[in-house]
Amino acid sequence: MSDFSSLEDQIRECFGRVVYTHKTHEKMADNCARTLWRFKVAQIAVSALTACGALSLVFVDTLWLKVATAVISFVTLCISGYMKGFDPGGTAQKHRDTAANLWVIRESYLSLLTDLRMQAIRSEEAIKQRDELQRKLAAIYRGAPHTNAKAYSQAQNALKKNEDYTFSDAEIDKFVPSSLRKAGK
């Protein structure tokens, strides 16, 4: 029985790591999308200010307006140049794709744990499935973009404090037909 317990403990540990990695990539995608939005808004704002300044120069010929328009125009150029070499939208999509691939692995580990606990599979088969999941996971990690400490901290907060992926029986009962509900039993 201790061999079974050791195997289950290892699979539980793998499951936990995948849950955290999945959520971290989701948070990275959100952060990258937020960065893209901020840069796009800034780009629109400074472009509008540049256009207004240039148009104003047709009617008002003052030095401070020329200097302000030139400075704002330079800021517009800097933001546009930065965005040319930096693609937060593409990076966000890579994190979303990685999270989607990790979701499949996460659910497979959960199913494997369920099968083990129900004794629906033998340890040898569980070992084969675990090894296959590890191979698939390694392939995902090889192509995955890097995450950062901020996203990990956000994932940790979401999983521990906000209890993402944790549902009460009453919450689940709202999604299933009455014949599958636990609360009424």
Side-chain angles (χ1 to χ4, degrees), residues 119-179:
Q119 297 178 345
I121 59 173
R122 296 170 33 124
S123 294
E124 295 80 17
E125 179 59 29
I127 290 168
K128 286 179 190 175
Q129 287 184 29
R130 177 208 58 199
D131 292 347
E132 181 59 26
L133 287 171
Q134 288 174 340
R135 275 190 287 284
K136 289 178 180 178
L137 193 55
I140 293 169
Y141 286 159
R142 272 192 295 280
H146 294 287
T147 58
N148 60 29
K150 178 182 177 184
Y152 182 80
S153 178
Q154 291 171 326
Q156 192 173 40
N157 185 55
L159 292 168
K160 285 185 176 181
K161 293 181 183 155
N162 299 342
E163 296 185 3
D164 282 13
Y165 305 129
T166 305
F167 306 99
S168 68
D169 284 340
E171 287 175 307
I172 295 170
D173 282 349
K174 291 177 184 176
F175 303 128
V176 298
S178 58
S179 62

Side-chain angles (χ1 to χ4, degrees), residues 18 20-26 28-29 90-106 136-147:
V18 172
Y20 265 89
T21 304
H22 171 258
K23 183 51 87 174
T24 301
H25 279 282
E26 284 184 339
M28 280 296 297
T91 304
Q93 188 57 52
K94 288 177 186 174
H95 284 290
R96 282 188 196 98
D97 292 345
T98 299
N101 291 332
L102 289 169
W103 180 85
V104 174
I105 301 295
R106 187 192 82 193
K136 289 178 180 178
L137 193 55
I140 293 169
Y141 286 159
R142 272 192 295 280
H146 294 287
T147 58

Side-chain angles (χ1 to χ4, degrees), residues 63-83:
L63 180 62
W64 73 266
L65 189 56
K66 290 177 183 178
V67 171
T69 301
V71 168
I72 294 170
S73 178
F74 181 72
V75 170
T76 303
L77 177 67
C78 290
I79 291 174
S80 296
Y82 183 72
M83 289 300 290

